[in-house]
Amino acid sequence: MQTITKYLALVILCLSVQLINAQDTISKINNKEKVTHLEAIKERIKTEEREFLKTEVEAINKRLDMGELSGAEAQILKKEAAKKRALNIENRIAIVDNRIALLKRNDEGYKIYDAEDTDKVGFQIGREEGSFAGIRIKAKNKPKKYDRRTSSDLVLAFGLNNAIIEGQSLDDSPYKFGGSRFFEIGWAWKTRVFKNSNFMRFKYGYSFQINGLKPDDNQYFVDQGGQTVLEEFPENLKKSKLSITNLVFPVHFEFGPSKRIDKDTYYRYSTDNKFKVGIGGYAGFNIGTRQKLKYKLDGERVKDKQKRGFNTTNLVYGLSAYLAFDDTALYIKYDLSPIFKDQLIDQNNISIGLRFDMD
C-alpha cells in the first residue's frame, strides 16, 4: 500500500509540473497571435455551417424521395435551413469579432474570464477539428442523421445466482439462496431489423459476468483428482464464496412496440415507456476463478483468497431472456455449459435478477 501511495504521489507531482508549464506557455502567447488564430476561426465557422446545411438538405431530399414531403414543402424546409445556418454564421462570427476587439483594445496578458477564455489550460484556438473558439462542438449541435438504425447502451444486471445439479431439484441445492449472487456489466448495440418497422431489433455486444456461489453447511470447494467437490471446512467459516468471471458475447432478438418521432430533417423510433421482450443467448470464455474464505484460527482473523482454476469450464455458453418495461427488465440466464468440466455429475449455473439497459 505504501508503494502504491508513493507512485501516486509521484504521478500527481509530475502532472502538477506539466500543468504549471502549460500555464506558462499559454501566458506567453501575445494578443497578436491570439487575434491571428481567431481570424482563422471565422473561416472555419463558415465552412462548418455550410457542411451542416449540406447534411440537412440531403436529409430533406431523402424525405422528398420517399414521398414524405411534397416539392413545395421540401423547398420551404430548405429555405428555413439556409436561413438558420446564415444566422448561425452571423452570430458566431460576431462573437469572435467581439473577442478580437477586446484583445486589440487591451494590453498583453488581458484575460477574459468566461467559457471561451483563450488563456485557460487546454484551450485550443481553432486547432482541433469540431471545435469553435476552443469549445468542442458537441454531437447535439450537429445535424442528426436522417435515419439511425443502430444505437448502443450500457447494460447492467444483478440478482440471485445458483446451480441446477443433475438428478437434484433446485430446492436441494448445496448453495445458499440469497447469498449466491451474480453481477453483469457490458455494452450492447441494437439494430432495427426491418427498414420501415421497429417491432424487431437485433441486440448484440459484450459483457463481463461474475457468478458467485456460496456453499452451505460450512463447506468449501476442493479439487480431488480432477473432480471439484464440496467438503466441510475444519474451522468455523464466516464466509465461503466461489466467484467465476466470464467474458461473453450476448445476442438477443428484441420484440416490442415503439413510437416513431418525426422531426423536420430526421426521425427516430423510441421504446421509452414501452414493454419489450428479449430472447437469445451468449457464448464466451472464463477469464478467472477465485475462492474466498474467511475464518478465525487461534483467535486471529484469516482471509484466504485462492486463485485457482477449480476445473471450471473454459468455454461458456447459454440461453438468456428478459421482459422489460422502459429500461428496466426481469432477467434470467442459464448456462448450457457445466460449471465444472469432466465431472461425474454436471452442475449448470442459473441466474435471475434485474437488468438495466441505459442509453
Side-chain angles (χ1 to χ4, degrees):
M1 185 66 185
Q2 290 180 347
T3 303
I4 295 174
T5 305
K6 290 178 182 177
Y7 279 118
L8 184 59
L10 181 61
V11 170
I12 293 173
L13 179 60
C14 292
L15 290 175
S16 299
V17 172
Q18 290 180 349
L19 186 62
I20 293 170
N21 290 336
Q23 289 174 329
D24 290 341
T25 301
I26 290 173
S27 64
K28 292 177 182 178
I29 300 176
N30 59 39
N31 286 5
K32 185 177 180 180
E33 290 174 324
K34 293 175 184 177
V35 169
T36 301
H37 289 309
L38 289 171
E39 290 289 354
I41 285 175
K42 290 166 66 174
E43 293 303 315
R44 174 176 291 183
I45 288 171
K46 296 175 185 177
T47 301
E48 190 178 69
E49 292 292 340
R50 286 166 184 160
E51 287 298 318
F52 289 171
L53 176 60
K54 181 181 177 181
T55 303
E56 290 176 336
V57 170
E58 288 175 353
I60 294 170
N61 286 334
K62 284 184 180 179
R63 295 183 65 190
L64 178 62
D65 294 340
M66 294 174 66
E68 297 179 2
L69 296 172
S70 66
E73 289 172 332
Q75 287 300 319
I76 291 173
L77 290 177
K78 289 178 183 179
K79 288 180 180 179
E80 290 176 350
K83 182 179 179 181
K84 179 182 72 175
R85 292 302 170 183
L87 288 172
N88 285 356
I89 292 173
E90 181 181 336
N91 294 152
R92 291 175 66 181
I93 287 180
I95 293 171
V96 178
D97 284 337
N98 285 333
R99 296 179 60 80
I100 291 173
L102 278 169
L103 292 171
K104 287 181 176 179
R105 188 184 308 124
N106 292 278
D107 297 330
E108 299 296 333
Y110 180 78
K111 293 184 177 181
I112 305 168
Y113 294 102
D114 60 17
E116 301 176 27
D117 190 352
T118 57
D119 294 322
K120 287 184 179 177
V121 175
F123 187 92
Q124 294 185 356
I125 308 176
R127 293 182 183 177
E128 184 181 0
E129 287 296 324
S131 65
F132 158 60
I135 300 177
R136 187 169 180 81
I137 302 296
K138 294 183 179 180
K140 66 180 182 179
N141 295 328
K142 294 182 179 180
K144 297 181 183 292
K145 187 177 179 181
Y146 176 66
D147 178 15
R148 190 179 68 183
R149 294 182 67 169
T150 300
S151 59
S152 62
D153 48 36
L154 175 70
V155 175
L156 181 67
F158 55 85
L160 303 179
N161 198 65
N162 218 288
I164 293 179
I165 302 175
E166 185 180 359
Q168 296 183 21
S169 69
L170 192 58
D171 289 337
D172 298 326
S173 172
Y175 308 117
K176 294 180 179 179
F177 289 96
S180 301
R181 305 182 187 94
F182 83 95
F183 176 79
E184 179 177 339
I185 186 169
W187 196 260
W189 288 266
K190 182 167 61 178
T191 299
R192 193 171 81 242
V193 175
F194 302 112
K195 183 177 181 180
N196 297 316
S197 171
N198 194 46
F199 181 75
M200 180 188 295
R201 286 85 66 179
F202 181 52
K203 199 157 189 174
Y204 49 95
Y206 62 90
S207 288
F208 291 94
Q209 294 178 349
I210 303 175
N211 299 321
L213 294 172
K214 284 188 176 182
D216 221 338
D217 300 327
N218 206 57
Q219 297 184 99
Y220 74 119
F221 290 94
V222 294
D223 185 351
Q224 288 187 351
Q227 295 286 307
T228 301
V229 297
L230 288 172
E231 285 190 357
E232 186 174 356
F233 196 70
E235 305 294 334
N236 185 28
L237 281 170
K238 185 178 180 181
K239 183 176 184 179
S240 173
K241 180 180 179 181
L242 184 73
S243 296
I244 303 170
T245 303
N246 300 323
L247 172 61
V248 298
F249 302 90
V251 174
H252 293 93
F253 280 101
E254 185 178 279
F255 305 88
S258 59
K259 180 181 179 182
R260 175 166 166 156
I261 301 172
D262 289 283
K263 299 294 184 180
D264 288 342
T265 56
Y266 70 94
Y267 73 90
R268 295 288 183 268
Y269 286 101
S270 172
T271 57
D272 291 347
N273 298 318
K274 301 290 185 181
F275 281 101
K276 62 197 82 169
V277 176
I279 302 173
Y282 51 90
F285 46 89
N286 173 264
I287 59 175
T289 303
R290 183 181 69 173
Q291 180 170 231
K292 187 175 183 180
L293 304 175
K294 287 184 180 182
Y295 56 94
K296 280 188 177 182
L297 185 62
D298 297 329
E300 297 289 331
R301 293 181 180 178
V302 179
K303 292 182 180 180
D304 186 7
K305 296 180 181 179
Q306 303 170 348
K307 295 182 179 180
R308 303 170 189 166
F310 290 98
N311 300 312
T312 49
T313 301
N314 293 324
L315 297 177
V316 296
Y317 51 92
L319 302 174
S320 55
Y322 56 88
L323 173 63
F325 178 76
D326 200 11
D327 295 332
T328 305
L330 178 64
Y331 179 49
I332 185 169
K333 61 185 182 72
Y334 175 70
D335 285 3
L336 295 174
S337 55
I339 299 174
F340 306 106
K341 58 187 176 183
D342 302 325
Q343 299 289 108
L344 295 176
I345 298 176
D346 283 340
Q347 301 184 41
N348 298 79
N349 197 87
I350 186 170
S351 310
I352 185 169
L354 294 177
R355 171 182 169 126
F356 303 91
D357 291 49
M358 297 174 284
D359 296 333

